[in-house]
Amino acid sequence: MEQLVQKLKEEIITALNLSEMKPENIDEKAPLFVDGLGLDSIDALELTVLLEKKYGLKIQTSEEGKKVLYSVRSMAEFIRENNKG
Amino acid sequence: MKGTYAISGYCLIRGNKVIRDEKLLFTGKGGSFSDFALENYRHFSVSYPKFHKMDNLGKLGFLSAEILLKDRNLTGKYPGEKVGIILSNCSSSLDTDRNHQKTIASRSNYFPSPAVFVYTLPNVVIGEICIKHKFFGEGNFFVMEKFNPSFIVDYITQLFDNDIFDCCITGWTEIDGNNFESVLFLIEKSTKTETGIANFGTAAIESIFNRK
């Protein structure tokens, strides 16, 4: 799990061009949006694309999206639960 | 023309050089545009994390405006709705359009990037500058074969004459790959300029634009 969290942090930094950010600066349990990294709606779409492109996972509803994209930890849990292969 | 309008300042970025109001402020090392943009970001002590997410046209226009407006306190001088931005170039957002095309070129690897797609319009650069400085006035982006001073002067003069704005940032912000240039002018309704560069007119705009 910790390896996945670390990998996810690196992928988020690349996907969202957070070039001044380092993985260790990201609190895995902190909210990604508004507080925390201060991401916006375009970033949410970019993270959705990341999950599909890198892990073959689709977020089905906006409610699921809110839960999955809450934090790096919630994204990692979603990947672990759904990426059985 | 109802009044006399003034060119209060300008920022010219061309050939890896940055000139503001007759003074050479910075010379880049001659790498890619991304390198040049980052060098400028650091040199001028810009602190705006969203800068790193912008496309190249956004970065070029944003940096030009930052340098042009530095220490001018425009927001203290005018209400946001009285500051307009009228820009132009010849390649529109082609630089980013190509990047977007790459993400949708393959049917088996079809993952359009929302962060790239949102920049596939040239006027987004105006939005970036407006968001940073809280400008709410008239905004327009013209795509034309080459910079057209007489068109720009006529268009902006009409907007000034009709009290659409009291201050305007205008010019040319062009980028395609590593070929880039940006010349932005600050035009104000007041006839007394801070720097006394010139009265607003086609000859003055053309003369500044053509400086090496």
Side-chain angles (χ1 to χ4, degrees), chain B residues 11-19 26-40 55-61 63-64 67 88-92 95 172-183 209 211:
Chain B
C11 171
L12 187 152
I13 297 178
R14 185 181 285 142
N16 280 314
K17 289 182 178 166
V18 178
I19 296 166
F26 180 75
T27 304
K29 291 173 185 167
S32 65
F33 172 74
S34 296
D35 295 339
F36 179 77
L38 201 54
E39 286 168 15
N40 272 275
D55 73 337
N56 285 341
L57 180 63
K59 285 179 178 172
L60 181 59
L63 280 172
S64 307
I67 297 162
S88 58
N89 78 6
C90 67
S91 295
S92 185
D95 189 70
W172 177 261
T173 300
E174 161 67 16
I175 184 161
D176 191 1
N178 289 322
N179 297 316
F180 60 90
E181 66 174 356
S182 181
V183 187
F209 184 83
R211 280 175 200 178

Side-chain angles (χ1 to χ4, degrees), chain B residues 1 5 10 26 28 33 68 74 81 112 123 143 171 173 189 194:
Chain B
M1 188 184 284
Y5 313 119
Y10 72 89
F26 180 75
F33 172 74
L68 175 71
L74 219 58
E81 60 270 21
N123 54 326
V143 179
T173 300
K189 215 165 189 176
E194 290 171 21

Side-chain angles (χ1 to χ4, degrees), chain B residues 7-8 193-198:
Chain B
I7 303 171
S8 307
T193 66
E194 290 171 21
T195 55
I197 286 184

Side-chain angles (χ1 to χ4, degrees), chain A residues 17-35:
Chain A
N17 288 323
L18 303 172
S19 56
E20 291 185 331
M21 189 72 73
K22 291 178 178 170
E24 56 267 30
N25 300 138
I26 301 176
D27 179 351
E28 67 191 61
K29 291 178 184 169
L32 287 167
F33 296 88
V34 187
D35 300 323

Side-chain angles (χ1 to χ4, degrees), chain A:
Chain A
M1 187 67 171
E2 297 317 308
Q3 274 186 333
L4 177 58
V5 166
Q6 179 67 17
K7 187 179 169 215
L8 206 45
K9 285 181 181 179
E10 290 167 5
E11 286 170 343
I12 289 170
I13 287 170
T14 303
L16 304 185
N17 288 323
L18 303 172
S19 56
E20 291 185 331
M21 189 72 73
K22 291 178 178 170
E24 56 267 30
N25 300 138
I26 301 176
D27 179 351
E28 67 191 61
K29 291 178 184 169
L32 287 167
F33 296 88
V34 187
D35 300 323
L37 292 184
L39 305 184
D40 59 24
S41 57
I42 298 298
D43 297 319
L45 288 170
E46 202 67 56
L47 292 179
T48 307
V49 172
L50 185 153
L51 286 172
E52 191 175 344
K53 190 175 178 180
K54 302 273 184 186
Y55 300 95
L57 297 175
K58 281 190 181 181
I59 291 173
Q60 302 296 338
T61 64
S62 58
E63 282 308 307
E64 185 180 43
K66 281 180 193 169
K67 287 179 190 167
V68 173
L69 301 181
Y70 179 77
S71 65
V72 175
R73 170 65 62 170
S74 63
M75 286 179 71
E77 285 168 354
F78 176 70
I79 293 166
R80 195 180 59 177
E81 287 164 13
N82 293 280
N83 198 4
K84 309 281 185 192

